[in-house]
Structure formats: structure tokens, C-alpha cells
Amino acid sequence: MNTMIEVKELQKSFGSLEVLKKVSFSVSPGEAVAVIGPSGSGKSTMLRSLVHLEEITGGSIVIQGKPLVENGKYAGASDIRTITASMGMVFQHFNLFPHLTVRGNLELAPRTLKREKVAAIEAKSRDLLAKVGLADKADVYPSMLSGGQKQRVAIARALMLNPDILLFDEPTSALDPELTGEVLRVIRQLADEQMTMIIVTHEMNFARDVADRIIFMDKGEIAESGTPEQIFGSPRLERTRLFLNQG
């Protein structure tokens, strides 16, 4: 089976601080991978490096067979743009534009890129807002929405450009617990539709239910990875057990 994401020996340092230490993993088409681990273990840095929001210090990242960075050397600027355009990213804090309506937030990038006719873009934004349960919010501004609604808008916005891969960086950690479920339902639906995803999350029950594979990161490295049954049921390492027992 071809791989969507291939990461080899990924290294990242801030000065003398090693944030990522030779991290290697791959993601298959349609696979949902949950990345768990304590704060400061390098999860978000690893995720952000996949879309070139962080520059790595060493190693390789290959997306759908195209090298973003090989042995620490990055592709050219236009190649980087093409490769990263195949990925959508959903952030912890939504990052919606407050001066644009919900629909305006969804349609800004596609209109700017002019890949589709305006009517097609408008139809797609309507469809995606319906998909995330917000068809009635198209013309309101982000300030009128709850955190859970904002995050569902952010997911719809990421889907507007037809990404092959979706990356989630702690998508529910800024939300009140009662709003978390509505966001996780949308991500679960995407998993059911075989969207290739990497989800950095602290929601252990969700990771167990939705992910095909769990990666446990600690101190800048992948300590352990496996199926949810294996990681949650019989982890190999003491540090994995200790982390899971904290919850």
C-alpha cells in the first residue's frame, strides 16, 4: 500500500534544546492516527513541521511520494507550496477571521486561489456547513458562535480546498467539556469516510474509539506505537502506562 506521509529521523532543535529526536513513522491512505503524550513531548512541533509551519533541523518528510524535505534539505518554494496545499490544518484556537462571516471564512482561500467558479465555491461552502451542522450560521460572524461552533467552522474551512490529509492540533483543548463532543463527532464522521488524518489529542477515549493507530510521544521521541487495543490494553513501556494512568 502506498503511504500518504513518510517521516524519517525527524529532528528539531531550538538552540541546544532537542524538541524532536529522530522521529520516524508513516501514515497509510485513509488511516486515522492519534498522537498522544505529555505536554512538551514534541507532538505539536512534529505536526506543524508536516505543513512547513516549523522548519526541521534534520531528517525527511515525504508527502504522497513528494519530498517536502530530504535529509534536512527543503524542496524549492513552489514545490513546498504544492505539497503543503494537499493538507488541511485545524488549530487549537480556530484562527477564524473575525471580520468575515462564517461563509466568508470558508470561501476566502478558494476565491483567492481562483481554482473554481464562484457558484461552485458557494455551493461547496453551503454543503460543508451542512455537513458540520451549521447550515443556519453561514451569515453570522465568529463572535456570535460558541467555541465548538467555531471549531466546526474551522474544520469546514480546512475541507474547502479538498485536502487529501487533515491535521488536527489539539482540536478540543480550548473548548469547554460540553462542547467537545460536537467537534469530535465531526472528526469521527471524517474517519468513517476514510479521510487520512493525524490528530494530536488529549482526549484518550476519543483516540481509543476513532484512531486506527496510536502514537505515544514522550521527551521528543516516539516511545511506543500500536493499535488502540495494544496501547490502551497492554502498553509495553512503563512510561506509557504511567501517562495513561494519570487520566
Side-chain angles (χ1 to χ4, degrees), residues 26-48:
S26 63
V27 180
S28 299
E31 191 177 24
V33 176
V35 183
I36 62 172
S39 294
S41 57
K43 306 183 299 293
S44 290
T45 302
M46 178 277 292
L47 196 73
R48 290 168 63 85

Side-chain angles (χ1 to χ4, degrees), residues 6 24 29 31 46 53-54 62 77 88-90 106 113 128-129 146 155 180 182-183 190 203 231 237 245 247:
E6 187 77 54
S24 298
E31 191 177 24
M46 178 277 292
L53 291 172
E54 297 277 0
V62 179
M89 178 108 177
V90 178
L106 265 66
L113 293 167
L128 285 171
L129 286 175
S146 71
I155 295 171
T180 295
E182 63 192 52
V183 174
L190 291 168
E203 297 281 344
I231 296 294
L237 300 180
N245 288 338

Side-chain angles (χ1 to χ4, degrees), residues 2-6 61-68 70 83 86 165:
N2 57 336
T3 55
M4 295 293 272
I5 301 171
E6 187 77 54
I61 299 170
V62 179
I63 308 292
Q64 299 187 83
K66 299 186 183 104
L68 177 69
E70 224 167 356
I83 293 165
S86 69
I165 298 162

Side-chain angles (χ1 to χ4, degrees), residues 43-44 90-92 151 168-174 200-202:
K43 306 183 299 293
S44 290
V90 178
F91 299 91
Q92 182 179 343
Q151 193 57 294
F168 292 88
D169 190 7
E170 295 278 14
T172 59
S173 62
V200 171
T201 185
H202 64 288

